Amino acid sequence: MSTTLQLAKRFREVILDGLWIANTNFKDQLSNVNWEQATTKIGSLNTIAMLTFHIDYYIEGLINVFEGGDLEIRDKYSFDLPAIESQDQWETLVNKLLSDAEKFANLLEQMPDSKMNEPFVDEKYGTYLRNIDGMIEHCYYHLGQITLIRKLLS
């Protein structure tokens, strides 16, 4: 299996359908969360909604680069979640994450393996491979947080 197909599979596992690493995924963890739970603040922790937005923000930013655009995302904006005030707004955010994740994986599958060793936008960011691996690791980090927050809420 090519490198890009393996990476797309790993990415789908953490967001959409995997059980191998954490025995869960974003889709599973978010499926039974209502908007009140998603926006409930526990101490100094980020909310589930905030973490969902945060991960999608980065996925969307990388999609833009994959499609030939500039790297427009900035860390300082990655938690700028608009207020979630209804179940519909929460479901829209979750659906956006899942849709963007599928698009990310599809675009990744279409890349040639040779692209993985090319600089990602600018050499200071490392290679495509480093950034995609980082995205997967970042997703697992926040998946763990969401799982723990859900336990604290129940």
Side-chain angles (χ1 to χ4, degrees):
M1 184 183 302
S2 76
T3 300
T4 55
L5 290 178
Q6 289 177 40
L7 289 167
K9 183 179 185 301
R10 286 181 50 220
F11 181 77
R12 280 191 179 98
E13 284 177 347
V14 66
I15 302 285
L16 300 169
D17 59 17
L19 300 175
W20 187 61
I21 299 290
N23 203 34
T24 192
N25 55 68
F26 270 82
K27 184 177 182 180
D28 179 54
Q29 285 299 303
L30 299 177
S31 67
N32 293 316
V33 173
N34 64 41
W35 76 276
E36 288 102 346
Q37 293 167 319
T39 57
T40 297
K41 186 97 168 115
I42 297 176
S44 63
L45 302 177
N46 288 309
T47 66
I48 291 172
M50 187 71 68
L51 294 169
T52 301
F53 174 85
H54 177 74
I55 286 297
D56 187 57
Y57 179 82
Y58 284 103
I59 291 170
E60 187 176 37
L62 292 184
I63 286 171
N64 192 54
V65 173
F66 289 178
E67 292 179 327
D70 293 329
L71 183 62
E72 298 172 349
I73 54 176
R74 300 292 178 262
D75 292 343
K76 67 182 178 179
Y77 303 122
S78 69
F79 286 102
D80 287 355
L81 171 69
I84 302 286
E85 298 172 338
S86 71
Q87 186 65 26
D88 282 345
Q89 289 175 330
W90 168 238
E91 289 174 10
T92 297
L93 178 61
V94 171
N95 289 333
K96 183 176 182 320
L97 169 69
L98 301 178
S99 174
D100 286 346
E102 188 59 44
K103 183 175 185 178
F104 179 98
N106 288 335
L107 289 167
L108 181 52
E109 286 175 333
Q110 295 168 24
M111 282 185 202
D113 281 354
S114 59
K115 185 93 172 161
M116 295 300 99
N117 293 319
E118 291 180 13
F120 185 81
V121 180
D122 186 314
E123 286 192 20
K124 71 181 177 184
Y125 297 122
T127 63
Y128 272 79
L129 178 61
R130 181 172 189 257
N131 281 271
I132 294 163
D133 270 338
M135 185 74 238
I136 293 167
E137 292 165 7
H138 188 212
C139 289
Y140 273 115
Y141 174 76
H142 289 305
L143 174 60
Q145 290 178 321
I146 288 170
T147 302
L148 290 172
I149 293 168
R150 281 191 60 200
K151 288 178 181 182
L152 290 171
L153 289 170
S154 63

